[in-house]
Every structure is written in C-alpha cells, then in structure tokens.
Amino acid sequence: MRMPSTGLVWLVAFAIFASATARAAAADLDILLFGSLDGGAASFATFGAKAGASSLEKSGFVTLWSVGGGIRRERMFCGCGRRAIFTRLSQTTSELFGYQWIIPAGAISVYAGSETDLDALVGVAAVLRTGWRVQGETWLRPTEESLVQTTVIAGSARNSVWMRAAWGYKLAGAYFGPEGSVFLDETGYRKVSFGLHATDVALADIRLRVSAGLQWETHRAEPRPYLGLAAWSPL
C-alpha cells in the first residue's frame, strides 16, 4: 500500500472533523475547540473539539473529536545489516464518547470510542488500521494557587500509550511548573519528555499552554530540546 500524499490525508481528516463540528453546532451543543503542537526531534500536532449537550462547566455526557499527525526519525536495521535512518509519518482520527464530573477541585473525564491510524515509513509502505481508544483526563486545583493536570490515552490501532502529568503554581494569572510525558507503541519506539510549562495563559478568549524541555527517544543517545504549544477556546 503506497502512502497517500500528506496534504490529501489532512484534507480528508479536516473534512471529517469539520463535518462533526458542524453537526455538533447545529445541535446547539456547548463546544470547546482545541489544538496542540509538540515540536522536537519527534513532532506531533492535534486539533479537535469537545461538545456537551449542556454546559461543559457542568457534569454530563460529552463527545470528543480529534485529528492529528506526526513525524519522527527512527534508526533500524536495513537489508544491508547496518542501522539506517527512516522517517515515519502518522495520521490519526478519533471519535470518543464519555462523561465528565465537575467537582469542587476541578474536572475528571473519561472517554472511549474508535480511532483510525495511517502509519508509514517513507519510501517503504503504509498501513491503515482501525481500533479502539480510551482516554482519561484530570484538571484539578488542590488549592486556589495550584493545578494538577494528567492525561492518559491508549489506543489499539497501533497499540500505543501516551501519558502526561503536570503540576503548576499560580503566578500572574497562569500556572507555572514541571511537566513530564511518556509515549510508546508496538514498533518498540519510546519517547520520554521532561520540561517546564505555563498553563492557562490568557490571550483574549483563547487559553494557552506553552512548554519547553528535553526529549529522549529510542535509538538516540543524547536528548533533544522540544517546544510545545496548546490552545483552547469555546466556539
């Protein structure tokens, strides 16, 4: 199976996402748009929407749509018996359904649904797979001046797990502190990141998270720097 052009895949993914968001808007749902970009030796971008039949500031059932894509370099043995460097591209879409609990300390959410993954080593082959995804999130404020945020995403399309945890202390209206994340999948690839973040930075109606740190990858002896940016805003 040959790899379709990246532009075509993103166009199809965006059409799916736009269609789902339009249906949600037409149903008069409360919608939150979000996007993120993690750039480094391995990079990944995601954008999507979260919708609820009632206010997202209340407990209730929610849906989560997302599309994403990434690129990374991998070192592996080729037919010549030596390690060669390959570029791997991936594009994903997901549609999840779940429930969120709004509690005095913040919010806890759990989701489950389907995912589609298009994965390819450039110049070698591409594989399109479907599977299930489960996701859990917490946004908790143990005190008025602190924030604890965690996310866990596990998918069967490529047997992958991504986990992130962050703590922050409130200064000048935003939360500053350390963050860490881990990613692994069935190819044997591992990525571990540690850094600092500023979360809930206000820019008009948009909220931002900016982060930076070091990233360790499988088959790479030295860590590389990474930069991260996430944004979210009500529709």
Side-chain angles (χ1 to χ4, degrees):
M1 177 179 179
R2 297 185 62 84
M3 182 68 173
S5 70
T6 302
L8 177 60
V9 174
W10 272 100
L11 180 62
V12 173
F14 179 77
I16 295 172
F17 166 72
S19 175
T21 305
R23 293 197 305 269
D28 197 25
L29 303 179
D30 191 14
I31 301 173
L32 180 75
L33 301 179
F34 62 86
S36 66
L37 172 62
D38 292 310
S43 301
F44 198 87
T46 303
F47 62 96
K50 177 181 177 180
S54 61
S55 171
L56 291 175
E57 297 181 356
K58 299 179 180 179
S59 297
F61 291 98
V62 291
T63 59
L64 193 70
W65 300 284
S66 68
V67 297
I71 182 172
R72 72 187 192 224
R73 293 290 187 90
E74 297 182 7
R75 290 176 172 85
M76 60 183 67
F77 286 105
C78 61
C80 61
R82 298 180 179 180
R83 286 188 181 274
I85 298 177
F86 294 88
T87 299
R88 184 181 296 273
L89 301 176
S90 62
Q91 283 118 8
T92 65
T93 63
S94 68
E95 185 171 351
L96 310 180
F97 302 87
Y99 194 90
Q100 70 172 8
W101 292 267
I102 303 300
I103 60 178
I108 300 173
S109 305
V110 293
Y111 309 91
S114 62
E115 69 173 7
T116 300
D117 179 86
L118 180 61
D119 180 86
L121 289 176
V122 175
V124 181
V127 179
L128 178 64
R129 293 172 291 192
T130 60
W132 296 97
R133 177 182 292 190
V134 293
Q135 179 170 333
E137 293 182 339
T138 64
W139 285 77
L140 302 176
R141 295 177 175 82
T143 68
E144 293 184 0
E145 305 300 324
S146 64
L147 171 70
V148 175
Q149 197 274 314
T150 62
T151 303
V152 178
I153 302 174
S156 66
R158 62 186 302 153
N159 293 320
S160 63
V161 177
W162 181 77
M163 298 175 285
R164 178 183 179 272
W167 176 87
Y169 185 80
K170 194 171 186 179
L171 294 170
Y175 295 91
F176 297 83
E179 68 172 11
S181 66
V182 177
F183 174 85
L184 53 92
D185 65 24
E186 65 182 5
T187 67
Y189 175 81
R190 305 288 185 270
K191 180 176 71 174
V192 179
S193 303
F194 290 103
L196 299 174
H197 72 95
T199 297
D200 218 18
V201 178
L203 180 62
D205 292 334
I206 301 174
R207 295 287 174 166
L208 303 174
R209 182 186 78 235
V210 182
S211 57
L214 293 176
Q215 188 179 90
W216 288 260
E217 295 180 274
T218 301
H219 307 313
R220 194 181 295 274
E222 300 295 330
R224 297 290 184 91
Y226 76 88
L227 293 174
L229 177 65
W232 58 96
S233 175
L235 182 63

